[in-house]
Amino acid sequence: AQTVTQSQPEMSVQEAETVTLSCTYDTSESDYYLFWYKQPPSRQMILVIRQEAYKQQNATENRFSVNFQKAAKSFSLKISDSQLGDAAMYFCALYAGGTSYGKLTFGQGTILTVHP
Amino acid sequence: DAGITQSPRHKVTETGTPVTLRCHQTENHRYMYWYRQDPGHGLRLIHYSYGVKDTDKGEVSDGYSVSRSKTEDFLLTLESATSSQTSVYFCAIRPLGDLPGGEQYFGPGTRLTVT
């Protein structure tokens, strides 16, 4: 079974500052992928970034980057130069390969508040 | 825009009544999923489908059934709604199909309230 844990129910950051959201996971699969999704107040789930477990290089997408620590099973999201539009709920998610039919396991979510 | 719509977007129903939620996609993706979102739990998988008439249970399937009679539509039915099924329901598709990877794209969600 796969598990994903987000231990920070809420985080806050000042506009233009940097914030890091934490995520730990557990899986016995060797082939897996990790994702961060953003859910703004509109409720729409938006894919922010993905990381393939076989890649050592951390993924980046503009102001968003991850710190993928495979041995520690840690997958944190760093948001640089935070903007008011970054305020949202953020979910960490795990896809473990094998015969999982593409199912995702989600963490509990972290609410990010951005202060002007 | 992943071409996914959900209907209805909001619904209030009474305990014991049947409810069907519809997910429609325009791009003929093979894999479709139903999740529910509840505070403190993130999103949890209810049922999924890997083709027409091919469906299976997720981790919170009790009280729910699904059907997929054509590629573009995936229906979620609450046979007899209970207050514990008050939630936001999301449909998702997986464009990569059988290829490794696995990000999913989500519909706009349906807020269901069971009174």
Side-chain angles (χ1 to χ4, degrees):
Chain A
Q2 280 70 237
T3 61
V4 177
T5 303
Q6 294 178 249
S7 58
Q8 306 157 317
E10 298 182 22
M11 292 284 285
S12 65
V13 64
Q14 291 293 132
E15 199 175 4
E17 298 291 306
T18 296
V19 64
T20 298
L21 308 184
S22 300
C23 173
T24 58
Y25 63 93
D26 192 26
T27 179
S28 57
E29 298 284 342
S30 58
D31 174 29
Y32 58 91
Y33 298 74
L34 292 155
F35 309 93
W36 280 98
Y37 282 88
K38 171 185 178 182
Q39 186 182 44
S42 67
R43 203 167 67 200
Q44 181 68 50
M45 293 286 288
I46 302 166
L47 178 65
V48 175
I49 199 165
R50 62 175 274 170
Q51 174 77 45
E52 295 87 342
Y54 63 85
K55 288 187 177 179
Q56 291 188 329
Q57 186 172 6
N58 289 324
T60 63
E61 287 288 343
N62 300 313
R63 297 181 296 106
F64 297 87
S65 61
V66 299
N67 184 6
F68 175 46
Q69 300 289 326
K70 192 172 183 177
K73 294 185 177 179
S74 171
F75 181 60
S76 60
L77 175 70
K78 185 172 82 169
I79 306 174
S80 304
D81 186 25
S82 296
Q83 300 176 0
L84 295 177
D86 295 333
M89 174 87 85
Y90 287 82
F91 291 99
C92 179
L94 166 69
Y95 158 68
T99 60
S100 70
Y101 291 98
K103 292 177 285 183
L104 292 179
T105 301
F106 284 85
Q108 303 91 328
T110 297
I111 298 172
L112 177 66
T113 301
V114 181
H115 298 289
Chain B
D1 183 1
I4 308 168
T5 57
Q6 292 184 232
S7 59
R9 294 292 312 280
H10 303 264
K11 186 170 182 66
V12 179
T13 192
E14 293 184 348
T15 298
T17 60
V19 177
T20 296
L21 308 183
R22 179 180 183 241
C23 177
H24 178 79
Q25 58 147 331
T26 60
E27 299 180 6
N28 290 324
H29 296 299
R30 182 180 167 198
Y31 290 84
M32 298 183 75
Y33 308 84
W34 276 108
Y35 293 89
R36 60 178 287 173
Q37 181 181 4
D38 304 289
H41 292 278
L43 277 74
R44 292 179 292 174
L45 183 65
I46 305 171
H47 280 279
Y48 63 98
S49 171
Y50 45 97
V52 173
K53 298 186 178 170
D54 291 322
T55 65
D56 205 348
K57 297 178 180 180
E59 62 177 301
V60 290
S61 59
D62 288 348
Y64 301 95
S65 63
V66 290
S67 66
R68 193 164 177 205
S69 59
K70 44 186 179 177
T71 301
E72 58 266 36
D73 289 327
F74 191 31
L75 304 181
L76 176 71
T77 297
L78 291 65
E79 301 291 346
S80 177
T82 67
S83 58
S84 65
Q85 294 176 312
T86 292
S87 188
V88 178
Y89 292 85
F90 285 96
C91 175
I93 54 95
R94 182 170 182 264
L96 284 182
D98 292 324
L99 296 175
E103 63 259 33
Q104 295 177 13
Y105 295 93
F106 289 80
T110 294
R111 180 176 293 280
L112 177 67
T113 302
V114 183
T115 61

